Amino acid sequence: MRRILVPTDFSEEARNAYEVAISIARRTGAAIKLLHVVETPYYSSNFSATGDVMLGSDNMEQVFMLRLLESTKSQMNELLRSLPHDGVEVVQEVDVDRPISKIRRTIKEDNVDLVVMGSKGSSGLDEFLIGSNTEKVVRTAECPVLTVKHRIPNFNVREIVLASDFKREIGHAMSHFKNFQELFGARLHLVYINTPGAFESSSNLRQKLQYTAEKYSLQNYSINIYNDVMEEDGILHFANDIQADLIMMATHGRTGLAHLLSGSIAEDLVNHTRIPVLTVHLK
C-alpha cells in the first residue's frame, strides 16, 4: 500500500477517518492525501482552487470564493496540526469541483490504494432521497474504501467479519481482503447469513465456505453459518457477537433504479453500523 486518500469536510467523522488513516500509514509506509472539495454552483466554474479568476467572472463571486478558499485552507492547516503524523507523509489539496467527480478522478490519477472516509450514516427518508457522499464513493470507487464513524485511537484489527453469499466471483475482492487481514495479523471469520427467504442446509453452506477458503488459500479463519431474518441484521448481529473490529464486504456498485430495486447490503451497512466497514467494488 503506497497511497491513501482521505476526503474531508472537516467534520468530526472525517477527522476520525484521518486518524485511522494515519494508523494504517504507520503500518504500511503509505503517504496520505487530505482532500477537500469546495462544491459550488455551475456558475462558479470561472474560479479555480488556486484563486485565479477567469474572464467574465462576477466581482462578488470573486470575493466570496476568495474568502471561502482562505477559510478552507485555514481549516485544512488546523486539521493537519490537530493530529501528530510524524513519520507519515501527508499532503493536502483543496479544489473547486463536484466532490464525487473529484474523488473518483483523484483515485485514478494518483493510483490510490485505499480511501478512508468518515460517515455520519443516514436512515429513513433522508437515506432514500439523498444517500451520502460516502455511500456514492463506496458504490463507484475503483479501490477499497474504509468507512469510519467513531474515533478509534491507535486503530488495530484483531477480529474481521467477511460476509458474502460466496456465489459471485470475488477473486478480485479477496486479494484486498487478504492483504488487510495480513496487515494486522487478524483472524478472519467467513460468515453466510441464512435467511428464511433463501434458506440452504448448513452442510451445503459449510462446504461452500470451505471451498472458498481453500481456493484462496486463506489462513487463520473460521467458518460460520448464522441464521437471521435479514442478511444485514445477521451480519450486524454476528459482528457484535464476536466483537468484530472490522466488517469486509464486496459491493456490486449498481446505481440508479437498479440500486433502488436491488439494494446493496454493503452500502446499507456503511450507513447503519458503528463498526468500520471495508468495501471492494466487484468489477
Side-chain angles (χ1 to χ4, degrees):
M1 189 180 299
R2 298 174 58 195
R3 295 179 177 87
I4 300 173
L5 175 65
V6 183
T8 181
D9 59 1
F10 307 115
S11 64
E12 181 180 351
E13 291 81 5
R15 185 183 185 278
N16 294 339
Y18 174 44
E19 186 171 19
V20 166
I22 291 174
S23 294
I24 296 173
R26 291 194 193 284
R27 286 179 175 268
T28 62
I32 295 174
K33 172 177 277 191
L34 274 174
L35 173 67
H36 178 77
V37 184
V38 179
E39 188 171 18
T40 60
Y42 69 92
Y43 55 76
S44 293
S45 59
N46 292 324
F47 207 98
S48 75
T50 61
D52 298 326
V53 182
M54 307 297 289
L55 292 177
S57 59
D58 181 80
N59 286 336
M60 290 300 294
E61 181 187 346
Q62 294 178 34
V63 173
F64 170 77
M65 287 300 297
L66 281 170
R67 290 179 177 174
L68 178 60
L69 287 172
E70 288 174 0
S71 172
T72 299
K73 291 174 181 178
S74 176
Q75 287 178 288
M76 187 71 86
N77 289 328
E78 183 178 342
L79 177 59
L80 282 170
R81 292 192 297 268
S82 70
L83 290 169
H85 58 272
D86 48 296
V88 176
E89 179 186 350
V90 180
V91 298
Q92 57 177 296
E93 181 179 356
V94 176
D95 200 358
V96 179
D97 204 337
R98 295 182 179 181
I100 301 303
S101 298
K102 175 61 180 180
I103 291 169
R104 291 182 64 184
R105 192 165 62 250
T106 302
I107 290 171
K108 186 174 183 179
E109 293 175 352
D110 289 7
N111 294 316
V112 171
D113 300 298
L114 176 69
V115 175
V116 184
M117 289 190 74
S119 173
K120 293 180 175 65
S122 58
S123 60
L125 187 61
D126 285 343
E127 179 180 6
F128 180 78
L129 291 176
I130 62 174
S132 67
N133 281 332
T134 302
E135 182 181 334
K136 293 173 185 175
V137 173
V138 166
R139 195 184 306 157
T140 62
E142 297 181 2
C143 68
V145 179
L146 177 64
T147 56
V148 178
K149 286 183 181 173
H150 303 282
R151 184 167 182 245
I152 313 174
N154 303 313
F155 180 64
N156 195 13
V157 176
R158 291 298 175 212
E159 308 293 337
I160 299 176
V161 172
L162 173 53
S164 174
D165 58 12
F166 301 98
K167 294 178 181 177
R168 299 187 183 94
E169 180 52 56
I170 59 173
H172 166 73
M174 190 63 78
S175 63
H176 293 293
F177 295 151
K178 287 179 63 177
N179 288 340
F180 224 80
Q181 178 196 10
E182 292 167 2
L183 176 63
F184 291 95
R187 182 161 177 79
L188 185 64
H189 302 272
L190 305 180
V191 62
Y192 182 101
I193 307 302
N194 216 2
T195 63
F199 184 83
E200 292 191 47
S201 71
S202 294
S203 60
N204 288 342
L205 290 174
R206 289 189 181 280
Q207 288 179 14
K208 185 182 298 184
L209 269 64
Q210 187 62 47
Y211 172 79
T212 299
E214 293 173 0
K215 178 179 180 180
Y216 297 107
S217 303
L218 299 183
Q219 302 291 325
N220 192 19
Y221 67 89
S222 71
I223 288 175
N224 305 271
I225 313 300
Y226 197 90
N227 299 323
D228 214 313
V229 177
M230 297 177 60
E231 290 175 296
E232 180 188 341
D233 290 343
I235 295 168
L236 292 175
H237 293 156
F238 176 76
N240 289 330
D241 285 351
I242 69 165
Q243 298 183 325
D245 304 298
L246 178 68
I247 298 172
M248 302 195 301
M249 288 194 70
T251 178
H252 53 56
R254 296 191 185 104
T255 59
L257 183 60
H259 175 257
L260 292 177
L261 291 176
S262 66
S264 171
I265 297 171
E267 291 153 36
D268 288 343
L269 281 172
V270 166
N271 273 330
H272 300 149
T273 183
R274 296 172 58 90
I275 303 170
V277 180
L278 181 74
T279 53
V280 178
H281 179 248
L282 289 174
K283 295 183 178 179

